[in-house]
């Protein structure tokens, strides 16, 4: 072995390993996926999805209500913006309700459960009183509150079942009573069936289906055994089959699934013209306000079938955008329900998510011809103040629950108001208090360095 000048053997150095190329240059898609995944896992993701998604759906719904309702208003000798103004007023009131609900503590939401349930039951009973209840399209589910305004109490029954059912199950879970089947069913199922009976007295089976979905969502979150869950489901399906079989109108709606022709007596007229509207929209639609089907061909163009007018005017891009917003809202609700340790928050968030998701699926499925026409509006999107007000209050519930998450609360506490930052910047540039602020910053940096082991 050759020696060095000092007489010592030369130092054997390990061969240098080739530096691996950065993954950012090799696979930009992987880098984008990692960044999106990190942003998706942030504490405030659910908060922003619920707030932003619900507001975007509501604003886009106002635009489409204005576009889809003009012809109907003119046919009724009303101003073209009549339905839009009523919906805009309901959206403003709903926005206030959403803000109030988002700022209320959880214990106050629980305290409102029983009053809202009692008020909803009382109003549903008033619907059946002659002279007070109003029939619309053959269903007596409305109460006239003066002038052109009407109230549908069954819409508030959904919110009542969510809050009251969540509070009931949370109390029983705290007492460890949900392991017994009788405590899981009673009184949740009897009260839900009472609400269903009051709704079905008016003939509104669509709202009854949504209420049933909320009930099963609560039972699923409570961990109902498969046999118990299947038993209640079989009873609900049997009652539904009887109600459909004994009603020619419901049988006709069931026969219109997938119809491409209006059929005898034009019984599938609405379903078929909804498909015509979607088919004529193309990729980007015919343009806002340029729908042809809303000119008297498509019934309920601004309520139950507003999604069809959206497809005709905004095309596939518009309808997919609406579906993506509902998917984001549903994901955020599931995330809030899955990450909390408060049983009431879990049940209430799951119930609201089930309510909005099931109603959106039923409405869109009916417009696409995949499900029978149930007569339920698209949440936050269709015309109808009675449906918009409790839905926006429920969105406020989700926002409040998303804010209650410990990580989200810490992230919100770390944020500073914008005017505060500007004020601090101005004071720093003017030389006022610059020294103490800089010293505090350096002290934080020094403490962070010592905590990491550096000296």
């Amino acid at each position: 072995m050759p020696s060095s000048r000092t007489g010592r053997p030369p130092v054997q150095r390990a061969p240098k390993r080739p530096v691996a190329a950065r993954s950012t240059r090799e696979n930009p898609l992987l880098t984008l996926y990692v960044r999106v995944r990190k942003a998706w896992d942030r504490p405030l993701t659910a908060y922003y999805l619920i707030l932003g998604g619900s507001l975007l759906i509501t604003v886009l719904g106002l635009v489409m209500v204005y576009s889809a309702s003009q012809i109907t208003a003119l046919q009724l000798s009303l101003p073209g913006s009549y339905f839009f103004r009523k919906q805009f007023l309901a959206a403003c009131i709903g926005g206030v309700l959403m803000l109030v609900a988002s700022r209320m503590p959880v214990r106050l939401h629980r305290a409102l459960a029983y009053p809202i349930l009692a008020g909803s039951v009382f109003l549903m009973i008033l619907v059946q009183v002659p002279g007070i209840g109003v029939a619309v399209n053959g269903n007596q589910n409305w109460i006239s509150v003066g002038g052109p305004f009407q109230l549908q109490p069954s819409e508030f029954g959904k919110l009542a079942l969510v809050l009251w059912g969540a509070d009931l199950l949370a109390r029983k879970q705290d007492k460890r009573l949900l392991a017994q089947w009788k405590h899981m069913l009673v009184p949740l199922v009897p009260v839900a069936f009472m609400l269903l009976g009051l709704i079905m007295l008016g003939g509104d089976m669509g709202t009854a289906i949504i209420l049933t979905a909320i009930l099963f969502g609560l039972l699923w979150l409570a961990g109902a055994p498969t046999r118990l869950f299947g038993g209640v489901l079989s009873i609900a399906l049997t009652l539904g089959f009887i109600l459909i079989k004994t009603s020619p109108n419901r049988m006709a709606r069931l026969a219109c699934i997938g119809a491409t022709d209006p059929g005898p007596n034009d019984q599938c007229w609405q379903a078929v013209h909804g498909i015509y509207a979607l088919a004529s929209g193309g990729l980007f639609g015919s343009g806002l306000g340029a729908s042809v089907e809303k000119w008297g061909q498509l019934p309920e163009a601004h309520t139950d079938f507003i999604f069809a007018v959206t497809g005709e005017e905004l095309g596939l891009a518009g309808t997919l955008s609406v579906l993506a917003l509902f998917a984001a809202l549903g994901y955020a609700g599931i995330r809030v329900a899955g990450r909390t340790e408060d049983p009431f928050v879990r049940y209430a968030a799951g119930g609201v998510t089930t309510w909005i998701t099931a109603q959106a699926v039923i409405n869109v499925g009916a417009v696409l011809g995949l499900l029978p026409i149930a007569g339920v509006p698209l949440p936050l999107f269709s015309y109808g103040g009675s449906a918009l007000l409790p839905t926006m209050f429920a969105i406020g519930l989700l926002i409040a629950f998303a804010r209650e998450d410990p990580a989200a609360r810490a992230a919100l506490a770390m944020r500073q108001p914008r005017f505060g930052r500007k004020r601090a910047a101005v004071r720093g540039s003017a030389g006022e208090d610059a020294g103490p602020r800089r010293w505090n910053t350096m002290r934080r940096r020094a403490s962070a360095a010592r905590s990491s082991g550096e000296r």
Side-chain angles (χ1 to χ4, degrees):
M1 177 182 297
S3 60
S4 60
R5 296 180 180 178
T6 58
R8 298 178 181 177
V11 179
Q12 297 293 333
R13 296 181 179 179
K16 294 184 178 181
R17 296 181 181 179
V19 180
R22 295 182 178 180
S23 58
T24 55
R25 297 179 179 177
E26 289 184 356
N27 196 345
L29 294 179
L30 180 59
T31 305
L32 179 62
Y33 170 77
V34 172
R35 291 181 179 178
V36 171
R37 185 64 182 270
K38 289 182 179 179
W40 201 253
D41 290 336
R42 289 178 179 175
L44 292 176
T45 297
Y47 172 78
Y48 287 127
L49 283 178
I50 296 171
L51 180 61
S54 58
L55 290 180
L56 285 175
I57 294 173
T58 305
V59 171
L60 183 57
L62 287 173
V63 174
M64 293 311 304
V65 165
Y66 181 66
S67 175
S69 64
Q70 288 181 342
I71 306 304
T72 303
L74 294 176
Q75 290 175 345
L76 297 175
S77 301
L78 297 171
S81 60
Y82 174 78
F83 293 105
F84 168 75
R85 286 181 294 176
K86 290 182 63 178
Q87 186 74 356
F88 182 76
L89 177 61
C92 292
I93 299 175
V96 174
L97 291 177
M98 184 177 70
L99 179 62
V100 171
S102 65
R103 294 294 179 176
M104 289 169 54
V106 174
R107 62 179 182 275
L108 187 54
H109 287 301
R110 300 187 67 168
L112 290 176
Y114 284 87
I116 292 178
L117 177 64
S120 301
V121 172
F122 177 72
L123 292 177
M124 288 184 192
I125 295 175
L126 286 183
V127 167
Q128 306 304 324
V129 177
I132 299 180
V134 179
V136 178
N137 295 330
N139 295 336
Q140 188 166 348
N141 289 304
W142 301 82
I143 294 178
S144 179
V145 294
F149 297 98
Q150 294 178 342
L151 184 68
Q152 189 176 3
S154 58
E155 294 291 338
F156 294 89
K158 304 172 185 176
L159 178 63
L161 181 60
V162 168
L163 285 177
W164 177 79
D167 179 70
L168 176 69
L169 293 175
R171 292 178 186 274
K172 292 195 173 187
Q173 180 173 335
D174 292 338
K175 297 179 181 180
R176 299 181 179 181
L177 297 175
L178 292 181
Q180 306 176 24
W181 67 269
K182 59 181 180 180
H183 284 288
M184 184 172 292
L185 295 182
V186 180
L188 177 62
V189 175
V191 171
F193 274 73
M194 178 190 66
L195 295 175
L196 290 172
L198 291 174
I199 292 173
M200 288 307 301
L201 284 176
D204 188 3
M205 191 169 183
T207 305
I209 293 174
I210 305 300
L211 213 67
T212 306
I214 296 174
L215 172 62
F216 284 113
L218 292 174
L219 290 176
W220 182 271
L221 290 171
T226 305
R227 291 181 298 176
L228 185 63
F229 196 84
V232 178
L233 181 61
S234 61
I235 294 175
L237 291 177
T238 302
L239 292 177
F241 176 78
I242 295 174
L243 292 173
I244 293 175
K245 195 69 176 178
T246 55
S247 174
N249 183 30
R250 296 179 187 129
M251 288 297 297
R253 291 186 179 187
L254 193 64
C256 291
I257 298 178
T260 57
D261 185 84
N265 300 324
D266 293 333
Q267 65 178 5
C268 298
W269 179 274
Q270 187 180 24
V272 170
H273 279 271
I275 297 296
Y276 290 168
L278 290 172
S280 60
L283 188 59
F284 296 105
S286 57
L288 191 63
S291 171
V292 176
E293 291 292 334
K294 68 182 181 183
W295 287 77
Q297 298 296 322
L298 180 62
E300 307 296 338
H302 60 298
T303 55
D304 300 343
F305 271 69
I306 194 171
F307 189 76
V309 179
T310 304
E312 185 178 5
E313 294 187 351
L314 303 183
L316 182 63
T319 55
L320 290 181
S321 299
V322 174
L323 294 179
L325 289 174
F326 276 109
L329 193 60
Y331 166 80
I334 294 174
R335 176 170 172 169
V336 170
R339 293 195 174 189
T340 184
E341 295 184 0
D342 188 340
F344 172 78
V345 173
R346 180 170 63 254
Y347 295 134
V352 171
T353 306
T354 303
W355 163 14
I356 295 177
T357 305
Q359 187 165 328
V361 169
I362 291 175
N363 179 274
V364 174
V367 174
L368 295 176
L370 303 176
L371 295 173
I373 300 175
V376 295
L378 190 60
L380 302 173
F381 201 83
S382 297
Y383 170 78
S386 295
L388 185 62
L389 295 181
T391 305
M392 295 195 74
F393 187 89
I395 294 296
L397 283 177
L398 290 180
I399 295 175
F401 297 156
R403 292 169 59 94
E404 286 296 322
D405 182 71
R409 192 187 303 115
L412 288 172
M414 291 177 62
R415 296 192 311 178
Q416 297 179 357
R418 188 178 299 275
F419 67 88
R421 289 197 297 268
K422 290 182 178 180
R423 183 178 177 183
V426 171
R427 293 180 64 182
S429 61
E432 299 178 7
D433 298 336
R437 289 182 182 272
R438 186 180 298 110
W439 185 86
N440 289 334
T441 304
M442 294 301 295
R443 182 175 62 179
R444 287 196 297 268
R445 290 179 180 175
S447 61
R450 284 195 298 269
S451 62
S452 62
E454 298 180 3
R455 294 289 185 270

